[in-house]
Amino acid sequence: MDGGNGDTSYASNSIVQKLVITKAKPVVIGSISDLYTTNPSRCLRIADLACSSGPNTLLVIIEIFEAIDEICHQLNHNTPEFQTLPAFYERLRKEKGEKFGPCSIMGIPGSFYEMLFPTTTIDFVHSSYSLHWLYQVPPMVEIYKSNIYLQFQKDFSLFLSWRSKEIAPGGRMVLTMLSRRSKEPFGKECYFWELLSKSLNDLVSEGLIEEAKMDSFNLPFYMPSRREVEAIICGEGSFYLDGLEIFDINWDGSDDDDNKEFKFNRFISGQKVAKLIRAVAESLIAYHFGDAVIDVLFNRYVEYVSDHLSQEEGKSVNFVVSLRRK
Protein backbone atom coordinates (compact mmCIF):
# COMPACT_ATOMS: atom_id res chain seq x y z
CA MET A 1 0.00 0.00 0.00
CA ASP A 2 1.03 3.61 -0.53
CA GLY A 3 1.86 5.12 2.86
CA GLY A 4 1.28 8.58 4.28
CA ASN A 5 -1.78 10.77 3.80
CA GLY A 6 -1.13 12.23 0.35
CA ASP A 7 -3.42 12.37 -2.65
CA THR A 8 -2.41 8.88 -3.88
CA SER A 9 -2.02 7.27 -0.46
CA TYR A 10 -3.97 4.25 0.72
CA ALA A 11 -5.31 6.26 3.67
CA SER A 12 -6.87 8.76 1.25
CA ASN A 13 -8.12 6.14 -1.23
CA SER A 14 -9.64 3.27 0.74
CA ILE A 15 -13.33 4.06 0.24
CA VAL A 16 -13.90 0.70 -1.46
CA GLN A 17 -12.43 -1.14 1.51
CA LYS A 18 -14.69 0.85 3.86
CA LEU A 19 -17.72 0.03 1.72
CA VAL A 20 -16.83 -3.67 1.78
CA ILE A 21 -16.50 -3.61 5.59
CA THR A 22 -19.91 -1.94 5.80
CA LYS A 23 -21.50 -4.52 3.48
CA ALA A 24 -19.98 -7.39 5.47
CA LYS A 25 -20.99 -5.91 8.85
CA PRO A 26 -24.18 -7.99 9.34
CA VAL A 27 -22.18 -11.22 8.96
CA VAL A 28 -19.44 -10.04 11.33
CA ILE A 29 -21.94 -8.90 13.96
CA GLY A 30 -24.02 -12.05 13.58
CA SER A 31 -20.96 -14.25 14.03
CA ILE A 32 -19.52 -12.43 17.06
CA SER A 33 -22.96 -12.20 18.67
CA ASP A 34 -23.55 -15.92 18.25
CA LEU A 35 -20.10 -16.64 19.68
CA TYR A 36 -20.65 -14.53 22.78
CA THR A 37 -24.25 -15.60 23.51
CA THR A 38 -23.28 -19.26 23.08
CA ASN A 39 -20.22 -19.00 25.31
CA PRO A 40 -19.96 -15.77 27.35
CA SER A 41 -16.35 -15.15 28.35
CA ARG A 42 -14.54 -12.90 30.81
CA CYS A 43 -11.95 -12.12 28.14
CA LEU A 44 -12.81 -11.93 24.46
CA ARG A 45 -9.68 -12.31 22.33
CA ILE A 46 -10.03 -10.82 18.84
CA ALA A 47 -7.54 -10.74 15.97
CA ASP A 48 -8.02 -8.47 12.95
CA LEU A 49 -5.49 -9.75 10.41
CA ALA A 50 -3.91 -7.30 7.97
CA CYS A 51 -6.07 -4.42 9.17
CA SER A 52 -5.34 -1.38 7.04
CA SER A 53 -3.59 1.87 7.71
CA GLY A 54 -5.72 4.99 7.71
CA PRO A 55 -9.37 5.57 8.67
CA ASN A 56 -10.50 1.95 8.34
CA THR A 57 -8.01 0.50 10.82
CA LEU A 58 -10.31 0.27 13.86
CA LEU A 59 -13.64 0.26 12.02
CA VAL A 60 -14.39 -3.45 12.45
CA ILE A 61 -13.21 -3.47 16.07
CA ILE A 62 -15.57 -0.58 16.88
CA GLU A 63 -18.47 -2.52 15.34
CA ILE A 64 -17.60 -5.65 17.33
CA PHE A 65 -17.31 -3.74 20.62
CA GLU A 66 -20.65 -2.05 20.05
CA ALA A 67 -22.34 -5.38 19.31
CA ILE A 68 -20.91 -7.03 22.43
CA ASP A 69 -21.80 -4.00 24.55
CA GLU A 70 -25.41 -4.20 23.34
CA ILE A 71 -25.62 -7.94 24.07
CA CYS A 72 -24.18 -7.44 27.55
CA HIS A 73 -26.80 -4.78 28.30
CA GLN A 74 -29.53 -7.17 27.17
CA LEU A 75 -28.14 -9.96 29.38
CA ASN A 76 -27.30 -7.57 32.24
CA HIS A 77 -23.64 -8.62 32.07
CA ASN A 78 -20.51 -6.55 32.41
CA THR A 79 -18.62 -6.40 29.13
CA PRO A 80 -15.66 -8.77 28.85
CA GLU A 81 -12.04 -7.72 28.68
CA PHE A 82 -10.72 -6.82 25.24
CA GLN A 83 -7.30 -6.49 23.70
CA THR A 84 -6.97 -3.15 21.89
CA LEU A 85 -5.25 0.25 21.86
CA PRO A 86 -5.04 2.14 25.20
CA ALA A 87 -6.14 5.51 23.77
CA PHE A 88 -8.99 3.79 21.97
CA TYR A 89 -10.03 2.17 25.24
CA GLU A 90 -10.21 5.55 26.98
CA ARG A 91 -12.51 6.79 24.24
CA LEU A 92 -14.75 3.76 24.68
CA ARG A 93 -14.89 4.21 28.46
CA LYS A 94 -16.10 7.78 27.95
CA GLU A 95 -18.74 6.65 25.44
CA LYS A 96 -19.87 3.43 27.14
CA GLY A 97 -19.36 4.21 30.82
CA GLU A 98 -17.29 2.76 33.65
CA LYS A 99 -18.78 -0.74 33.32
CA PHE A 100 -17.13 -1.19 29.95
CA GLY A 101 -14.61 -4.03 30.32
CA PRO A 102 -10.84 -3.43 30.57
CA CYS A 103 -8.71 -3.64 27.43
CA SER A 104 -5.10 -4.62 26.77
CA ILE A 105 -3.01 -4.44 23.58
CA MET A 106 -0.85 -6.90 21.69
CA GLY A 107 0.53 -6.19 18.24
CA ILE A 108 1.82 -9.12 16.21
CA PRO A 109 3.97 -8.38 13.16
CA GLY A 110 4.40 -11.21 10.71
CA SER A 111 2.80 -13.17 7.89
CA PHE A 112 -0.57 -14.79 8.41
CA TYR A 113 0.73 -17.68 6.33
CA GLU A 114 2.63 -18.58 9.50
CA MET A 115 1.57 -19.05 13.12
CA LEU A 116 1.00 -15.71 14.88
CA PHE A 117 -0.59 -16.60 18.22
CA PRO A 118 -0.23 -19.33 20.88
CA THR A 119 -2.38 -22.42 20.50
CA THR A 120 -6.15 -21.97 21.17
CA THR A 121 -5.78 -18.39 22.43
CA ILE A 122 -8.04 -16.58 19.94
CA ASP A 123 -11.85 -16.45 20.01
CA PHE A 124 -12.60 -14.45 16.87
CA VAL A 125 -10.58 -13.72 13.73
CA HIS A 126 -11.48 -11.16 11.10
CA SER A 127 -9.77 -10.42 7.79
CA SER A 128 -10.99 -8.14 5.02
CA TYR A 129 -9.51 -7.72 1.54
CA SER A 130 -6.29 -9.59 2.23
CA LEU A 131 -6.67 -13.21 1.14
CA HIS A 132 -6.99 -12.51 -2.58
CA TRP A 133 -3.32 -11.45 -2.35
CA LEU A 134 -1.09 -14.49 -2.72
CA TYR A 135 1.91 -15.26 -0.55
CA GLN A 136 4.05 -15.09 -3.68
CA VAL A 137 3.81 -15.04 -7.46
CA PRO A 138 3.60 -18.69 -8.53
CA PRO A 139 6.93 -19.96 -9.92
CA MET A 140 5.89 -20.81 -13.46
CA VAL A 141 6.26 -19.99 -17.12
CA GLU A 142 2.59 -19.26 -17.87
CA ILE A 143 0.62 -17.65 -15.06
CA TYR A 144 -2.70 -17.79 -16.93
CA LYS A 145 -3.01 -21.52 -16.36
CA SER A 146 -4.08 -23.65 -13.42
CA ASN A 147 -0.87 -22.87 -11.51
CA ILE A 148 -2.18 -19.62 -10.07
CA TYR A 149 -5.19 -21.46 -8.62
CA LEU A 150 -2.86 -24.07 -7.16
CA GLN A 151 -0.92 -21.24 -5.46
CA PHE A 152 -4.16 -19.83 -4.02
CA GLN A 153 -5.22 -23.31 -2.90
CA LYS A 154 -1.88 -23.79 -1.14
CA ASP A 155 -1.97 -20.33 0.48
CA PHE A 156 -5.60 -20.45 1.62
CA SER A 157 -5.21 -23.99 3.00
CA LEU A 158 -2.12 -22.88 4.91
CA PHE A 159 -3.97 -19.86 6.27
CA LEU A 160 -6.82 -22.07 7.51
CA SER A 161 -4.42 -24.58 9.03
CA TRP A 162 -2.55 -22.00 11.10
CA ARG A 163 -5.75 -20.28 12.24
CA SER A 164 -7.19 -23.65 13.29
CA LYS A 165 -4.31 -24.02 15.73
CA GLU A 166 -4.74 -20.52 17.15
CA ILE A 167 -8.55 -20.36 17.41
CA ALA A 168 -10.19 -22.08 20.38
CA PRO A 169 -12.74 -24.83 19.59
CA GLY A 170 -16.04 -23.18 18.73
CA GLY A 171 -14.31 -19.91 17.87
CA ARG A 172 -15.36 -17.95 14.81
CA MET A 173 -13.69 -16.44 11.76
CA VAL A 174 -15.11 -14.05 9.15
CA LEU A 175 -13.19 -13.47 5.91
CA THR A 176 -14.01 -11.05 3.10
CA MET A 177 -12.25 -11.20 -0.27
CA LEU A 178 -12.58 -10.22 -3.90
CA SER A 179 -13.96 -13.11 -5.91
CA ARG A 180 -15.78 -14.07 -9.06
CA ARG A 181 -19.00 -15.75 -10.19
CA SER A 182 -17.68 -17.03 -13.51
CA LYS A 183 -15.79 -20.27 -14.10
CA GLU A 184 -13.14 -18.39 -16.07
CA PRO A 185 -10.28 -17.38 -13.69
CA PHE A 186 -9.66 -14.15 -15.60
CA GLY A 187 -13.20 -13.15 -16.56
CA LYS A 188 -14.95 -9.80 -16.48
CA GLU A 189 -14.72 -9.57 -12.67
CA CYS A 190 -10.96 -9.06 -13.09
CA TYR A 191 -11.29 -6.54 -15.92
CA PHE A 192 -9.92 -3.61 -13.89
CA TRP A 193 -6.60 -5.49 -13.90
CA GLU A 194 -6.90 -6.14 -17.62
CA LEU A 195 -7.18 -2.40 -18.20
CA LEU A 196 -4.03 -1.87 -16.15
CA SER A 197 -2.29 -4.48 -18.30
CA LYS A 198 -3.37 -2.61 -21.43
CA SER A 199 -1.93 0.58 -19.98
CA LEU A 200 1.39 -1.14 -19.28
CA ASN A 201 1.48 -2.59 -22.80
CA ASP A 202 0.95 0.90 -24.23
CA LEU A 203 4.08 2.02 -22.41
CA VAL A 204 5.96 -0.96 -23.87
CA SER A 205 4.86 0.08 -27.39
CA GLU A 206 6.04 3.62 -26.71
CA GLY A 207 9.43 2.46 -25.48
CA LEU A 208 8.89 3.59 -21.89
CA ILE A 209 8.98 0.04 -20.52
CA GLU A 210 11.20 -2.81 -21.69
CA GLU A 211 9.29 -5.73 -23.18
CA ALA A 212 11.30 -8.19 -21.10
CA LYS A 213 10.30 -6.31 -17.95
CA MET A 214 6.66 -6.57 -18.97
CA ASP A 215 6.93 -10.29 -19.72
CA SER A 216 8.34 -10.96 -16.26
CA PHE A 217 5.71 -8.96 -14.33
CA ASN A 218 2.80 -10.70 -12.60
CA LEU A 219 0.69 -9.52 -9.68
CA PRO A 220 0.36 -12.01 -6.81
CA PHE A 221 -3.41 -11.72 -6.94
CA TYR A 222 -6.22 -14.25 -7.41
CA MET A 223 -10.01 -13.92 -7.24
CA PRO A 224 -11.47 -17.36 -6.41
CA SER A 225 -14.89 -18.76 -7.26
CA ARG A 226 -17.39 -19.94 -4.67
CA ARG A 227 -16.79 -23.56 -5.60
CA GLU A 228 -13.02 -23.15 -5.12
CA VAL A 229 -13.38 -21.52 -1.69
CA GLU A 230 -15.85 -24.12 -0.46
CA ALA A 231 -13.70 -27.00 -1.73
CA ILE A 232 -10.58 -25.69 0.03
CA ILE A 233 -12.43 -25.19 3.32
CA CYS A 234 -13.90 -28.68 3.10
CA GLY A 235 -10.57 -30.23 2.12
CA GLU A 236 -8.60 -28.54 4.90
CA GLY A 237 -11.22 -29.79 7.35
CA SER A 238 -10.72 -27.65 10.47
CA PHE A 239 -13.77 -25.38 10.14
CA TYR A 240 -17.51 -25.62 9.62
CA LEU A 241 -18.70 -23.32 6.86
CA ASP A 242 -21.56 -21.44 8.54
CA GLY A 243 -22.26 -19.23 5.55
CA LEU A 244 -20.97 -17.63 2.36
CA GLU A 245 -22.62 -14.47 1.08
CA ILE A 246 -21.98 -12.64 -2.17
CA PHE A 247 -22.38 -8.95 -2.93
CA ASP A 248 -21.34 -6.58 -5.72
CA ILE A 249 -19.84 -3.12 -5.38
CA ASN A 250 -18.99 -0.46 -7.93
CA TRP A 251 -15.34 -0.12 -8.88
CA ASP A 252 -15.22 3.48 -7.67
CA GLY A 253 -16.74 2.74 -4.26
CA SER A 254 -19.96 4.66 -4.94
CA ASP A 255 -23.39 3.21 -4.33
CA ASP A 256 -25.84 2.84 -7.20
CA ASP A 257 -27.62 6.11 -6.40
CA ASP A 258 -24.31 7.98 -6.44
CA ASN A 259 -23.44 6.35 -9.75
CA LYS A 260 -26.46 7.95 -11.42
CA GLU A 261 -24.77 11.32 -10.93
CA PHE A 262 -21.77 10.12 -12.95
CA LYS A 263 -23.54 8.65 -15.95
CA PHE A 264 -22.62 11.71 -18.03
CA ASN A 265 -19.15 12.09 -16.57
CA ARG A 266 -17.46 8.72 -16.23
CA PHE A 267 -14.08 10.45 -16.19
CA ILE A 268 -14.70 11.27 -12.52
CA SER A 269 -15.29 7.61 -11.74
CA GLY A 270 -12.27 6.67 -13.85
CA GLN A 271 -10.07 8.96 -11.76
CA LYS A 272 -11.42 7.44 -8.54
CA VAL A 273 -10.76 3.90 -9.73
CA ALA A 274 -7.23 4.80 -10.84
CA LYS A 275 -6.43 6.29 -7.43
CA LEU A 276 -7.84 3.23 -5.66
CA ILE A 277 -5.77 0.82 -7.75
CA ARG A 278 -2.68 3.01 -7.52
CA ALA A 279 -2.96 3.10 -3.72
CA VAL A 280 -2.72 -0.70 -3.48
CA ALA A 281 -0.49 -1.54 -6.45
CA GLU A 282 1.95 1.35 -6.96
CA SER A 283 4.69 -0.05 -4.73
CA LEU A 284 4.67 -3.38 -6.61
CA ILE A 285 4.70 -1.67 -10.01
CA ALA A 286 7.37 0.87 -9.05
CA TYR A 287 9.59 -1.88 -7.63
CA HIS A 288 9.48 -3.75 -10.95
CA PHE A 289 9.40 -0.91 -13.51
CA GLY A 290 10.76 2.09 -11.60
CA ASP A 291 9.10 5.24 -10.29
CA ALA A 292 9.48 7.19 -13.52
CA VAL A 293 6.58 5.47 -15.31
CA ILE A 294 3.98 5.68 -12.52
CA ASP A 295 2.28 8.99 -13.37
CA VAL A 296 2.21 8.24 -17.11
CA LEU A 297 0.87 4.75 -16.46
CA PHE A 298 -2.03 5.82 -14.27
CA ASN A 299 -2.95 8.74 -16.53
CA ARG A 300 -3.34 6.17 -19.30
CA TYR A 301 -5.25 3.91 -16.92
CA VAL A 302 -7.75 6.71 -16.20
CA GLU A 303 -8.48 6.91 -19.94
CA TYR A 304 -9.09 3.16 -20.28
CA VAL A 305 -11.27 2.93 -17.17
CA SER A 306 -13.30 6.00 -18.13
CA ASP A 307 -13.88 4.61 -21.63
CA HIS A 308 -14.97 1.25 -20.20
CA LEU A 309 -17.37 2.88 -17.73
CA SER A 310 -18.92 4.95 -20.50
CA GLN A 311 -20.05 1.68 -22.11
CA GLU A 312 -20.88 -0.59 -19.16
CA GLU A 313 -20.86 -0.79 -15.38
CA GLY A 314 -17.75 -1.71 -13.45
CA LYS A 315 -18.69 -4.14 -10.68
CA SER A 316 -16.55 -6.20 -8.31
CA VAL A 317 -17.78 -9.45 -6.75
CA ASN A 318 -17.10 -10.07 -3.07
CA PHE A 319 -17.43 -13.08 -0.77
CA VAL A 320 -17.91 -12.84 2.99
CA VAL A 321 -17.25 -16.23 4.55
CA SER A 322 -18.33 -17.18 8.08
CA LEU A 323 -16.46 -20.10 9.66
CA ARG A 324 -16.65 -21.95 12.99
CA ARG A 325 -13.75 -23.91 14.48
CA LYS A 326 -14.51 -27.61 14.89
Side-chain angles (χ1 to χ4, degrees):
M1 301 180 294
D2 279 6
N5 296 295
D7 186 54
T8 62
S9 68
Y10 182 86
S12 300
N13 295 283
S14 50
I15 186 174
V16 164
Q17 291 83 346
K18 181 178 181 179
L19 178 61
V20 167
I21 289 171
T22 302
K23 294 275 191 181
K25 179 179 177 179
V27 178
V28 175
I29 299 308
S31 181
I32 194 71
S33 299
D34 183 62
L35 169 66
Y36 188 74
T37 53
T38 302
N39 184 26
S41 173
R42 290 182 60 244
C43 180
L44 192 61
R45 300 157 298 184
I46 302 166
D48 191 4
L49 302 186
C51 53
S52 63
S53 62
N56 298 334
T57 303
L58 296 173
L59 186 55
V60 175
I61 297 298
I62 291 171
E63 293 172 352
I64 289 173
F65 285 1
E66 289 179 344
I68 296 299
D69 187 53
E70 182 177 342
I71 292 170
C72 288
H73 275 94
Q74 293 171 359
L75 299 175
N76 198 26
H77 290 174
N78 289 330
T79 55
E81 296 179 4
F82 297 99
Q83 293 180 346
T84 185
L85 301 172
F88 182 53
Y89 172 54
E90 292 304 316
R91 168 186 156 188
L92 289 170
R93 286 290 291 269
K94 289 179 181 178
E95 292 178 358
K96 305 296 183 183
E98 292 301 315
K99 288 187 176 181
F100 194 82
C103 301
S104 59
I105 181 173
M106 179 174 61
I108 304 294
S111 168
F112 53 49
Y113 294 115
E114 300 172 354
M115 195 165 184
L116 294 172
F117 308 103
T119 303
T120 64
T121 58
I122 303 298
D123 300 301
F124 186 85
V125 167
H126 173 264
S127 181
S128 182
Y129 261 38
S130 296
L131 291 169
H132 42 243
W133 290 100
L134 303 176
Y135 179 64
Q136 62 182 7
V137 175
M140 56 187 167
V141 177
E142 295 182 68
I143 199 166
Y144 298 105
K145 301 286 185 181
S146 63
N147 290 327
I148 194 166
Y149 165 67
L150 294 177
Q151 182 67 48
F152 175 78
Q153 182 183 47
K154 175 184 175 183
D155 289 352
F156 191 37
S157 296
L158 191 60
F159 174 88
L160 294 172
S161 178
W162 284 123
R163 302 297 79 76
S164 72
K165 294 175 174 60
E166 298 164 349
I167 297 174
R172 305 300 202 275
M173 182 160 62
V174 175
L175 312 172
T176 308
M177 67 185 83
L178 276 165
S179 51
R180 69 180 200 275
R181 287 190 174 91
S182 62
K183 294 182 180 179
E184 172 57 46
F186 301 94
K188 64 179 182 179
E189 294 97 340
C190 302
Y191 199 63
F192 56 92
W193 288 127
E194 178 65 25
L195 296 176
L196 185 62
S197 178
K198 286 185 177 182
S199 303
L200 284 165
N201 278 310
D202 280 358
L203 270 57
V204 173
S205 300
E206 295 165 15
L208 299 176
I209 289 177
E210 296 177 13
E211 187 172 358
K213 282 275 189 181
M214 183 64 188
D215 290 343
S216 62
F217 180 67
N218 288 303
L219 284 170
F221 189 95
Y222 185 72
M223 294 161 59
S225 69
R226 178 173 190 151
R227 179 176 295 181
E228 289 169 350
V229 169
E230 291 176 339
I232 295 169
I233 293 169
C234 180
E236 195 280 329
S238 299
F239 292 90
Y240 297 109
L241 178 58
D242 285 341
L244 191 157
E245 297 189 14
I246 305 174
F247 60 88
D248 293 350
I249 60 168
N250 294 312
W251 283 358
D252 65 359
S254 64
D255 61 33
D256 288 328
D257 289 334
D258 290 337
N259 247 15
K260 292 175 184 177
E261 300 176 10
F262 294 128
K263 65 180 180 179
F264 298 117
N265 192 353
R266 291 297 184 178
F267 187 72
I268 296 174
S269 287
Q271 288 179 314
K272 285 189 174 183
V273 174
K275 284 186 176 182
L276 292 167
I277 296 299
R278 179 170 179 169
V280 299
E282 178 175 354
S283 60
L284 289 169
I285 295 169
Y287 178 80
H288 192 82
F289 297 108
D291 293 322
V293 302
I294 296 298
D295 287 341
V296 177
L297 170 65
F298 282 99
N299 287 338
R300 189 66 51 85
Y301 187 56
V302 169
E303 296 175 7
Y304 275 122
V305 174
S306 300
D307 182 64
H308 175 79
L309 294 178
S310 69
Q311 302 174 55
E312 59 182 289
E313 291 182 319
K315 296 280 189 180
S316 297
V317 180
N318 300 264
F319 290 166
V320 53
V321 185
S322 179
L323 302 170
R324 179 164 40 99
R325 177 72 172 88
K326 291 182 178 179

